[in-house]
């Protein structure tokens, strides 16, 4: 152990689970948080796991207590709701639930921790965001809008960190090499007889014309970005780290 403590919120699946395992490999004492009871974590033996649903008052309090008691030096907020995507007019309650998990909970939870923070240890907050904010459509609009709100709220959090022993940064990601993404395209490649690399390039081009990548982004690049942000101390406050394949074009 190197005396570094990390809490990864939203670490029972996807790249958050990978991050939890990799941080443990790098010598961090890691608490992984997710909703499911039996996460398939890469190296679960090395991780402490807290099951909590942040949409509920009890779950929120459990995570809030964990942050207070563990006194982490790194907190990654990675929990996400992809929200309603198909319904012609989704119920208002579904839209509110998406905004709650993606924007309001991370802001409130982390701001509360910043305000309570009395530890001598410096704490870095890394808030995972998405390149969806640059190209919303009728399917992704609610998710994208909640992530745009999260981006603004993370800037507000960084402003609060200025007078504390803490820094808040955004890690903005593009399309990741998820098992699900890979399997979906592999199925298309097998069905059409096309090469997987060609199918992937076509898919990325259709998703966002600004992409300058030919394949999905690796989980390992995301981990390295988190470790870099965490190594920067105060200089990471207000930082926007984009690992997004050029999703926003040339100016942003
Ligand atoms: N995947 C991509 O291609 C991509 C691209 C750009 C940005 N991102 C960003 O990367 C982050 C992770 O995305 P992902 O695709 O890896 O997500 P994911 O596989 O769906 O995993 C999300 C994690 O959040 C947890 N979670 C969701 N709702 C929760 C709640 N109410 N309370 C507690 N935990 C909750 C999930 O727990 P359970 O599974 O146990 O419910 C899971 O551990 C998100 O911020 C996303 O916007 C991803």
């Amino acid at each position: 152990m190197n005396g570094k403590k990390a809490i990864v919120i939203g670490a029972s699946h996807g790249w958050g689970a990978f991050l939890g395992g990799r941080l443990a490999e790098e010598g961090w004492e890691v608490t992984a948080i997710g909703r499911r009871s039996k996460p398939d974590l890469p190296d679960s033996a090395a991780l402490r796991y807290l099951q909590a649903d942040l949409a509920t008052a009890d779950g929120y309090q459990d995570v809030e207590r964990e942050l207070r008691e563990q006194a982490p030096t790194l907190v990654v907020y990675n929990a996400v709701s992809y929200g309603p995507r198909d319904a012609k007019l989704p119920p208002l309650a579904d839209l509110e639930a998406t905004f709650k998990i993606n924007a309001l909970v991370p802001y409130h939870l982390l701001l509360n921790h910043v305000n309570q923070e009395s530890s001598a240890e410096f704490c870095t907050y890394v808030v995972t965001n998405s390149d969806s904010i640059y190209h919303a459509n009728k399917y992704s609009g609610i998710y994208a809008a909640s992530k745009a709100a999260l981006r603004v709220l993370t800037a507000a959090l960084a402003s609060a960190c200025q007078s504390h022993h803490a820094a808040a940064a955004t890690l903005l990601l593009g399309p990741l090499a998820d098992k699900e993404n890979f399997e979906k395209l592999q199925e298309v490649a097998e069905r059409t007889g096309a090469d997987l690399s060609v199918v992937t390039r076509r898919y990325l081009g259709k998703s966002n014309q600004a992409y300058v990548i030919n394949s999905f982004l690796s989980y390992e690049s995301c981990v390295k970005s988190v470790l870099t942000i965490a190594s920067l101390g105060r200089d990471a406050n207000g930082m926007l780290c984009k690992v997004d394949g050029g999703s926003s074009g040339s100016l942003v």
Side-chain angles (χ1 to χ4, degrees), residues 109-144:
L109 187 70
L110 301 183
L111 182 61
N112 180 48
H113 189 246
V114 170
N115 288 337
Q116 288 180 1
E117 170 264 323
S118 56
S119 151
E121 293 285 348
F122 189 86
C123 184
T124 303
Y125 305 98
V126 177
V127 179
T128 310
N129 213 306
S130 162
D131 68 352
S132 64
I133 63 176
Y134 301 121
H135 53 98
N137 59 35
K138 62 182 175 181
Y139 303 110
S140 67
I142 295 308
Y143 168 67

mmCIF file of all heavy atoms in Angstrom, residues 109-144:
data_model
loop_
_atom_site.group_PDB
_atom_site.id
_atom_site.type_symbol
_atom_site.label_atom_id
_atom_site.label_comp_id
_atom_site.label_asym_id
_atom_site.label_seq_id
_atom_site.Cartn_x
_atom_site.Cartn_y
_atom_site.Cartn_z
ATOM 1 N N LEU A 109 -23.214 15.435 -3.279
ATOM 2 C CA LEU A 109 -22.390 14.498 -2.492
ATOM 3 C C LEU A 109 -20.954 15.014 -2.327
ATOM 4 O O LEU A 109 -20.394 15.026 -1.232
ATOM 5 C CB LEU A 109 -22.380 13.150 -3.217
ATOM 6 C CG LEU A 109 -21.736 11.956 -2.547
ATOM 7 C CD1 LEU A 109 -22.567 11.499 -1.356
ATOM 8 C CD2 LEU A 109 -21.614 10.798 -3.551
ATOM 9 N N LEU A 110 -20.378 15.455 -3.443
ATOM 10 C CA LEU A 110 -18.969 15.875 -3.401
ATOM 11 C C LEU A 110 -18.829 17.246 -2.742
ATOM 12 O O LEU A 110 -17.874 17.489 -1.997
ATOM 13 C CB LEU A 110 -18.359 15.857 -4.806
ATOM 14 C CG LEU A 110 -18.401 14.478 -5.513
ATOM 15 C CD1 LEU A 110 -17.710 14.539 -6.873
ATOM 16 C CD2 LEU A 110 -17.774 13.381 -4.658
ATOM 17 N N LEU A 111 -19.795 18.142 -2.989
ATOM 18 C CA LEU A 111 -19.742 19.454 -2.340
ATOM 19 C C LEU A 111 -19.857 19.284 -0.828
ATOM 20 O O LEU A 111 -19.142 19.942 -0.058
ATOM 21 C CB LEU A 111 -20.865 20.348 -2.873
ATOM 22 C CG LEU A 111 -20.896 21.773 -2.311
ATOM 23 C CD1 LEU A 111 -19.614 22.536 -2.654
ATOM 24 C CD2 LEU A 111 -22.107 22.538 -2.832
ATOM 25 N N ASN A 112 -20.726 18.393 -0.415
ATOM 26 C CA ASN A 112 -20.892 18.103 1.012
ATOM 27 C C ASN A 112 -19.565 17.605 1.605
ATOM 28 O O ASN A 112 -19.155 18.021 2.680
ATOM 29 C CB ASN A 112 -21.993 17.044 1.174
ATOM 30 C CG ASN A 112 -22.232 16.687 2.621
ATOM 31 O OD1 ASN A 112 -22.372 17.572 3.450
ATOM 32 N ND2 ASN A 112 -22.270 15.407 2.928
ATOM 33 N N HIS A 113 -18.883 16.752 0.851
ATOM 34 C CA HIS A 113 -17.598 16.222 1.323
ATOM 35 C C HIS A 113 -16.533 17.316 1.370
ATOM 36 O O HIS A 113 -15.748 17.397 2.320
ATOM 37 C CB HIS A 113 -17.155 15.057 0.427
ATOM 38 C CG HIS A 113 -15.961 14.333 0.966
ATOM 39 N ND1 HIS A 113 -14.744 14.330 0.329
ATOM 40 C CD2 HIS A 113 -15.786 13.616 2.092
ATOM 41 C CE1 HIS A 113 -13.879 13.623 1.040
ATOM 42 N NE2 HIS A 113 -14.485 13.185 2.112
ATOM 43 N N VAL A 114 -16.530 18.168 0.348
ATOM 44 C CA VAL A 114 -15.572 19.287 0.336
ATOM 45 C C VAL A 114 -15.789 20.153 1.569
ATOM 46 O O VAL A 114 -14.837 20.502 2.277
ATOM 47 C CB VAL A 114 -15.762 20.166 -0.931
ATOM 48 C CG1 VAL A 114 -14.941 21.454 -0.819
ATOM 49 C CG2 VAL A 114 -15.369 19.422 -2.175
ATOM 50 N N ASN A 115 -17.046 20.468 1.843
ATOM 51 C CA ASN A 115 -17.361 21.363 2.966
ATOM 52 C C ASN A 115 -17.014 20.748 4.312
ATOM 53 O O ASN A 115 -16.661 21.450 5.249
ATOM 54 C CB ASN A 115 -18.851 21.745 2.952
ATOM 55 C CG ASN A 115 -19.147 22.696 1.808
ATOM 56 O OD1 ASN A 115 -18.265 23.385 1.316
ATOM 57 N ND2 ASN A 115 -20.396 22.724 1.362
ATOM 58 N N GLN A 116 -17.099 19.412 4.402
ATOM 59 C CA GLN A 116 -16.808 18.736 5.677
ATOM 60 C C GLN A 116 -15.339 18.387 5.832
ATOM 61 O O GLN A 116 -14.905 18.047 6.919
ATOM 62 C CB GLN A 116 -17.572 17.412 5.752
ATOM 63 C CG GLN A 116 -19.054 17.585 5.965
ATOM 64 C CD GLN A 116 -19.727 16.243 6.030
ATOM 65 O OE1 GLN A 116 -19.074 15.209 5.931
ATOM 66 N NE2 GLN A 116 -21.029 16.260 6.199
ATOM 67 N N GLU A 117 -14.645 18.445 4.716
ATOM 68 C CA GLU A 117 -13.279 17.920 4.672
ATOM 69 C C GLU A 117 -12.392 18.631 5.703
ATOM 70 O O GLU A 117 -12.290 19.844 5.727
ATOM 71 C CB GLU A 117 -12.756 18.097 3.232
ATOM 72 C CG GLU A 117 -11.311 17.834 3.004
ATOM 73 C CD GLU A 117 -10.494 19.102 3.043
ATOM 74 O OE1 GLU A 117 -10.937 20.154 2.582
ATOM 75 O OE2 GLU A 117 -9.386 19.017 3.570
ATOM 76 N N SER A 118 -11.824 17.805 6.593
ATOM 77 C CA SER A 118 -10.944 18.408 7.598
ATOM 78 C C SER A 118 -9.624 17.639 7.651
ATOM 79 O O SER A 118 -8.750 17.927 8.448
ATOM 80 C CB SER A 118 -11.623 18.357 8.968
ATOM 81 O OG SER A 118 -11.965 17.022 9.249
ATOM 82 N N SER A 119 -9.531 16.619 6.750
ATOM 83 C CA SER A 119 -8.350 15.772 6.756
ATOM 84 C C SER A 119 -7.114 16.536 6.272
ATOM 85 O O SER A 119 -7.214 17.470 5.482
ATOM 86 C CB SER A 119 -8.631 14.581 5.823
ATOM 87 O OG SER A 119 -7.465 14.120 5.269
ATOM 88 N N ALA A 120 -5.969 16.134 6.760
ATOM 89 C CA ALA A 120 -4.732 16.757 6.309
ATOM 90 C C ALA A 120 -4.393 16.319 4.894
ATOM 91 O O ALA A 120 -3.638 16.966 4.179
ATOM 92 C CB ALA A 120 -3.597 16.375 7.246
ATOM 93 N N GLU A 121 -4.995 15.179 4.487
ATOM 94 C CA GLU A 121 -4.705 14.631 3.153
ATOM 95 C C GLU A 121 -5.440 15.448 2.084
ATOM 96 O O GLU A 121 -6.620 15.757 2.233
ATOM 97 C CB GLU A 121 -5.186 13.178 3.073
ATOM 98 C CG GLU A 121 -4.428 12.217 3.946
ATOM 99 C CD GLU A 121 -3.048 11.888 3.397
ATOM 100 O OE1 GLU A 121 -2.777 12.223 2.233
ATOM 101 O OE2 GLU A 121 -2.251 11.316 4.140
ATOM 102 N N PHE A 122 -4.751 15.722 1.013
ATOM 103 C CA PHE A 122 -5.369 16.393 -0.132
ATOM 104 C C PHE A 122 -6.296 15.409 -0.836
ATOM 105 O O PHE A 122 -5.972 14.233 -0.982
ATOM 106 C CB PHE A 122 -4.263 16.852 -1.088
ATOM 107 C CG PHE A 122 -4.749 17.726 -2.192
ATOM 108 C CD1 PHE A 122 -4.857 19.098 -2.001
ATOM 109 C CD2 PHE A 122 -5.109 17.192 -3.415
ATOM 110 C CE1 PHE A 122 -5.316 19.917 -3.018
ATOM 111 C CE2 PHE A 122 -5.561 18.005 -4.436
ATOM 112 C CZ PHE A 122 -5.662 19.374 -4.233
ATOM 113 N N CYS A 123 -7.469 15.880 -1.275
ATOM 114 C CA CYS A 123 -8.396 14.981 -1.982
ATOM 115 C C CYS A 123 -8.675 15.491 -3.394
ATOM 116 O O CYS A 123 -9.000 16.663 -3.591
ATOM 117 C CB CYS A 123 -9.707 14.857 -1.204
ATOM 118 S SG CYS A 123 -10.838 13.672 -1.962
ATOM 119 N N THR A 124 -8.536 14.593 -4.365
ATOM 120 C CA THR A 124 -8.857 14.929 -5.752
ATOM 121 C C THR A 124 -10.173 14.259 -6.142
ATOM 122 O O THR A 124 -10.340 13.049 -5.939
ATOM 123 C CB THR A 124 -7.747 14.425 -6.712
ATOM 124 O OG1 THR A 124 -6.503 14.991 -6.313
ATOM 125 C CG2 THR A 124 -8.046 14.816 -8.154
ATOM 126 N N TYR A 125 -11.093 15.035 -6.691
ATOM 127 C CA TYR A 125 -12.354 14.493 -7.201
ATOM 128 C C TYR A 125 -12.263 14.442 -8.728
ATOM 129 O O TYR A 125 -11.977 15.463 -9.364
ATOM 130 C CB TYR A 125 -13.538 15.384 -6.810
ATOM 131 C CG TYR A 125 -13.641 15.634 -5.327
ATOM 132 C CD1 TYR A 125 -13.147 16.808 -4.760
ATOM 133 C CD2 TYR A 125 -14.218 14.686 -4.486
ATOM 134 C CE1 TYR A 125 -13.216 17.036 -3.389
ATOM 135 C CE2 TYR A 125 -14.293 14.906 -3.108
ATOM 136 C CZ TYR A 125 -13.790 16.080 -2.572
ATOM 137 O OH TYR A 125 -13.867 16.302 -1.214
ATOM 138 N N VAL A 126 -12.500 13.269 -9.276
ATOM 139 C CA VAL A 126 -12.554 13.140 -10.735
ATOM 140 C C VAL A 126 -13.986 12.774 -11.099
ATOM 141 O O VAL A 126 -14.518 11.756 -10.647
ATOM 142 C CB VAL A 126 -11.581 12.054 -11.252
ATOM 143 C CG1 VAL A 126 -11.713 11.905 -12.767
ATOM 144 C CG2 VAL A 126 -10.147 12.383 -10.871
ATOM 145 N N VAL A 127 -14.614 13.620 -11.890
ATOM 146 C CA VAL A 127 -16.013 13.410 -12.257
ATOM 147 C C VAL A 127 -16.065 12.988 -13.730
ATOM 148 O O VAL A 127 -15.612 13.724 -14.606
ATOM 149 C CB VAL A 127 -16.828 14.703 -12.026
ATOM 150 C CG1 VAL A 127 -18.279 14.498 -12.436
ATOM 151 C CG2 VAL A 127 -16.731 15.135 -10.562
ATOM 152 N N THR A 128 -16.595 11.797 -13.959
ATOM 153 C CA THR A 128 -16.613 11.277 -15.333
ATOM 154 C C THR A 128 -17.745 11.913 -16.131
ATOM 155 O O THR A 128 -18.893 11.920 -15.694
ATOM 156 C CB THR A 128 -16.812 9.748 -15.331
ATOM 157 O OG1 THR A 128 -15.876 9.162 -14.436
ATOM 158 C CG2 THR A 128 -16.592 9.173 -16.709
ATOM 159 N N ASN A 129 -17.392 12.424 -17.286
ATOM 160 C CA ASN A 129 -18.404 13.037 -18.146
ATOM 161 C C ASN A 129 -18.372 12.361 -19.521
ATOM 162 O O ASN A 129 -17.637 11.381 -19.710
ATOM 163 C CB ASN A 129 -18.181 14.551 -18.240
ATOM 164 C CG ASN A 129 -19.495 15.303 -18.377
ATOM 165 O OD1 ASN A 129 -20.286 15.007 -19.269
ATOM 166 N ND2 ASN A 129 -19.731 16.251 -17.492
ATOM 167 N N SER A 130 -19.130 12.886 -20.448
ATOM 168 C CA SER A 130 -19.294 12.198 -21.728
ATOM 169 C C SER A 130 -19.323 13.175 -22.894
ATOM 170 O O SER A 130 -19.878 14.282 -22.784
ATOM 171 C CB SER A 130 -20.606 11.414 -21.704
ATOM 172 O OG SER A 130 -21.001 11.089 -23.011
ATOM 173 N N ASP A 131 -18.780 12.735 -24.037
ATOM 174 C CA ASP A 131 -18.792 13.588 -25.231
ATOM 175 C C ASP A 131 -20.199 13.721 -25.816
ATOM 176 O O ASP A 131 -20.397 14.446 -26.783
ATOM 177 C CB ASP A 131 -17.811 13.064 -26.274
ATOM 178 C CG ASP A 131 -18.223 11.731 -26.879
ATOM 179 O OD1 ASP A 131 -19.198 11.116 -26.391
ATOM 180 O OD2 ASP A 131 -17.566 11.294 -27.843
ATOM 181 N N SER A 132 -21.167 13.054 -25.210
ATOM 182 C CA SER A 132 -22.551 13.196 -25.675
ATOM 183 C C SER A 132 -23.010 14.649 -25.574
ATOM 184 O O SER A 132 -23.937 15.055 -26.276
ATOM 185 C CB SER A 132 -23.491 12.316 -24.845
ATOM 186 O OG SER A 132 -23.480 12.768 -23.502
ATOM 187 N N ILE A 133 -22.349 15.442 -24.719
ATOM 188 C CA ILE A 133 -22.774 16.837 -24.556
ATOM 189 C C ILE A 133 -22.600 17.631 -25.854
ATOM 190 O O ILE A 133 -23.191 18.677 -26.011
ATOM 191 C CB ILE A 133 -22.038 17.556 -23.389
ATOM 192 C CG1 ILE A 133 -20.533 17.653 -23.641
ATOM 193 C CG2 ILE A 133 -22.300 16.858 -22.066
ATOM 194 C CD1 ILE A 133 -19.791 18.440 -22.542
ATOM 195 N N TYR A 134 -21.767 17.121 -26.785
ATOM 196 C CA TYR A 134 -21.518 17.868 -28.021
ATOM 197 C C TYR A 134 -22.442 17.496 -29.168
ATOM 198 O O TYR A 134 -22.432 18.142 -30.205
ATOM 199 C CB TYR A 134 -20.066 17.651 -28.498
ATOM 200 C CG TYR A 134 -19.047 18.070 -27.482
ATOM 201 C CD1 TYR A 134 -18.123 17.169 -26.976
ATOM 202 C CD2 TYR A 134 -19.007 19.383 -27.024
ATOM 203 C CE1 TYR A 134 -17.188 17.551 -26.042
ATOM 204 C CE2 TYR A 134 -18.071 19.777 -26.085
ATOM 205 C CZ TYR A 134 -17.176 18.857 -25.596
ATOM 206 O OH TYR A 134 -16.249 19.242 -24.661
ATOM 207 N N HIS A 135 -23.207 16.415 -29.012
ATOM 208 C CA HIS A 135 -24.048 16.015 -30.150
ATOM 209 C C HIS A 135 -25.315 15.299 -29.683
ATOM 210 O O HIS A 135 -25.522 14.125 -29.945
ATOM 211 C CB HIS A 135 -23.261 15.151 -31.156
ATOM 212 C CG HIS A 135 -22.576 13.968 -30.542
ATOM 213 N ND1 HIS A 135 -23.111 12.706 -30.558
ATOM 214 C CD2 HIS A 135 -21.410 13.871 -29.874
ATOM 215 C CE1 HIS A 135 -22.294 11.883 -29.922
ATOM 216 N NE2 HIS A 135 -21.254 12.555 -29.499
ATOM 217 N N ALA A 136 -26.173 16.036 -29.025
ATOM 218 C CA ALA A 136 -27.429 15.450 -28.546
ATOM 219 C C ALA A 136 -28.374 15.179 -29.716
ATOM 220 O O ALA A 136 -28.374 15.904 -30.702
ATOM 221 C CB ALA A 136 -28.087 16.403 -27.566
ATOM 222 N N ASN A 137 -29.143 14.119 -29.606
ATOM 223 C CA ASN A 137 -30.223 13.887 -30.559
ATOM 224 C C ASN A 137 -31.458 13.429 -29.783
ATOM 225 O O ASN A 137 -31.441 13.410 -28.551
ATOM 226 C CB ASN A 137 -29.816 12.878 -31.644
ATOM 227 C CG ASN A 137 -29.431 11.539 -31.038
ATOM 228 O OD1 ASN A 137 -29.995 11.093 -30.042
ATOM 229 N ND2 ASN A 137 -28.447 10.882 -31.649
ATOM 230 N N LYS A 138 -32.495 13.031 -30.513
ATOM 231 C CA LYS A 138 -33.752 12.732 -29.804
ATOM 232 C C LYS A 138 -33.629 11.504 -28.902
ATOM 233 O O LYS A 138 -34.427 11.336 -27.984
ATOM 234 C CB LYS A 138 -34.903 12.547 -30.795
ATOM 235 C CG LYS A 138 -34.732 11.386 -31.750
ATOM 236 C CD LYS A 138 -35.893 11.327 -32.720
ATOM 237 C CE LYS A 138 -35.652 10.233 -33.745
ATOM 238 N NZ LYS A 138 -36.728 10.136 -34.723
ATOM 239 N N TYR A 139 -32.639 10.666 -29.141
ATOM 240 C CA TYR A 139 -32.460 9.487 -28.278
ATOM 241 C C TYR A 139 -31.607 9.815 -27.046
ATOM 242 O O TYR A 139 -31.818 9.290 -25.968
ATOM 243 C CB TYR A 139 -31.797 8.347 -29.061
ATOM 244 C CG TYR A 139 -32.577 7.962 -30.290
ATOM 245 C CD1 TYR A 139 -32.085 8.252 -31.564
ATOM 246 C CD2 TYR A 139 -33.818 7.329 -30.187
ATOM 247 C CE1 TYR A 139 -32.806 7.922 -32.694
ATOM 248 C CE2 TYR A 139 -34.549 6.996 -31.308
ATOM 249 C CZ TYR A 139 -34.031 7.300 -32.565
ATOM 250 O OH TYR A 139 -34.748 6.984 -33.679
ATOM 251 N N SER A 140 -30.618 10.664 -27.256
ATOM 252 C CA SER A 140 -29.633 10.880 -26.181
ATOM 253 C C SER A 140 -29.815 12.200 -25.448
ATOM 254 O O SER A 140 -29.042 12.519 -24.546
ATOM 255 C CB SER A 140 -28.217 10.840 -26.771
ATOM 256 O OG SER A 140 -28.030 11.967 -27.620
ATOM 257 N N GLY A 141 -30.840 12.974 -25.834
ATOM 258 C CA GLY A 141 -30.975 14.352 -25.339
ATOM 259 C C GLY A 141 -30.961 14.479 -23.821
ATOM 260 O O GLY A 141 -30.273 15.346 -23.273
ATOM 261 N N ILE A 142 -31.712 13.638 -23.138
ATOM 262 C CA ILE A 142 -31.814 13.782 -21.685
ATOM 263 C C ILE A 142 -30.481 13.434 -21.020
ATOM 264 O O ILE A 142 -29.987 14.148 -20.144
ATOM 265 C CB ILE A 142 -32.942 12.865 -21.140
ATOM 266 C CG1 ILE A 142 -34.284 13.350 -21.680
ATOM 267 C CG2 ILE A 142 -32.952 12.854 -19.624
ATOM 268 C CD1 ILE A 142 -34.557 14.821 -21.466
ATOM 269 N N TYR A 143 -29.903 12.320 -21.487
ATOM 270 C CA TYR A 143 -28.587 11.922 -20.963
ATOM 271 C C TYR A 143 -27.572 13.042 -21.220
ATOM 272 O O TYR A 143 -26.846 13.473 -20.310
ATOM 273 C CB TYR A 143 -28.166 10.624 -21.649
ATOM 274 C CG TYR A 143 -26.731 10.219 -21.455
ATOM 275 C CD1 TYR A 143 -26.267 9.835 -20.205
ATOM 276 C CD2 TYR A 143 -25.841 10.198 -22.532
ATOM 277 C CE1 TYR A 143 -24.945 9.455 -20.026
ATOM 278 C CE2 TYR A 143 -24.528 9.818 -22.370
ATOM 279 C CZ TYR A 143 -24.075 9.446 -21.112
ATOM 280 O OH TYR A 143 -22.771 9.073 -20.944
ATOM 281 N N ALA A 144 -27.547 13.542 -22.461
ATOM 282 C CA ALA A 144 -26.577 14.588 -22.826
ATOM 283 C C ALA A 144 -26.795 15.849 -21.997
ATOM 284 O O ALA A 144 -25.832 16.466 -21.517
ATOM 285 C CB ALA A 144 -26.695 14.901 -24.321
#
